[in-house]
């Protein structure tokens, strides 16, 4: 049996927590103008981390249209971290991983 994970709840709770606790993450530079990459403290509360943040492996998911519609203000908060003029987006992709050598979570939001 194959289980397809939807990490929307986990992502929502983590992004909401990080918005309230900016000391728990660092923004990492990327070479892209539509990506926000965060290095997150391993003590941040992550639901089902072993499933949604695989160790030393990337997991990429497209956030559902419903998620983007419901949580647009939260996504806008992170989009503003790109320090670009606010522009609309149709899709948001999320990449997650647990980086064992750094003992940190990686979360990357790509706005398309």
């Amino acid at each position: 049996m194959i289980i397809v994970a939807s990490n929307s709840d986990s992502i929502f709770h983590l992004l909401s927590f990080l918005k309230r606790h900016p000391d728990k993450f660092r923004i990492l530079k990327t070479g892209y103008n539509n990506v926000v990459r965060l290095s997150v403290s391993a003590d941040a509360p992550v639901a089902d981390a072993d499933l949604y943040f695989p160790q030393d492996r990337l997991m990429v998911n497209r956030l559902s249209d419903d998620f983007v519609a419901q949580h647009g203000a939260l996504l806008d908060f992170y989009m503003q971290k790109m320090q670009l003029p606010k522009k609309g987006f149709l899709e948001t992709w999320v990449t997650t991983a647990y980086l064992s050598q750094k003992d940190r979570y990686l979360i990357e939001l790509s706005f398309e």
Side-chain angles (χ1 to χ4, degrees), residues 27-70:
I27 296 176
L28 304 175
K29 292 189 180 208
T30 72
Y32 308 102
N33 63 7
N34 65 326
V35 173
V36 175
R37 186 177 295 156
L38 307 174
S39 172
V40 179
S41 174
D43 65 352
V46 177
D48 297 317
D50 56 331
L51 181 60
Y52 300 127
F53 288 79
Q55 183 172 323
D56 300 320
R57 202 170 50 95
L58 297 176
M59 177 182 278
V60 181
N61 286 288
R62 179 182 172 273
L63 294 176
S64 72
D65 293 339
D66 289 341
F67 182 95
V68 172
Q70 283 182 306

Side-chain angles (χ1 to χ4, degrees), residues 8-25:
S8 296
D9 288 342
S10 181
I11 295 301
F12 170 74
H13 291 296
L14 179 58
L15 292 177
S16 297
F17 172 83
L18 294 174
K19 183 178 177 184
R20 293 187 314 271
H21 302 278
D23 59 308
K24 295 291 184 182
F25 73 91

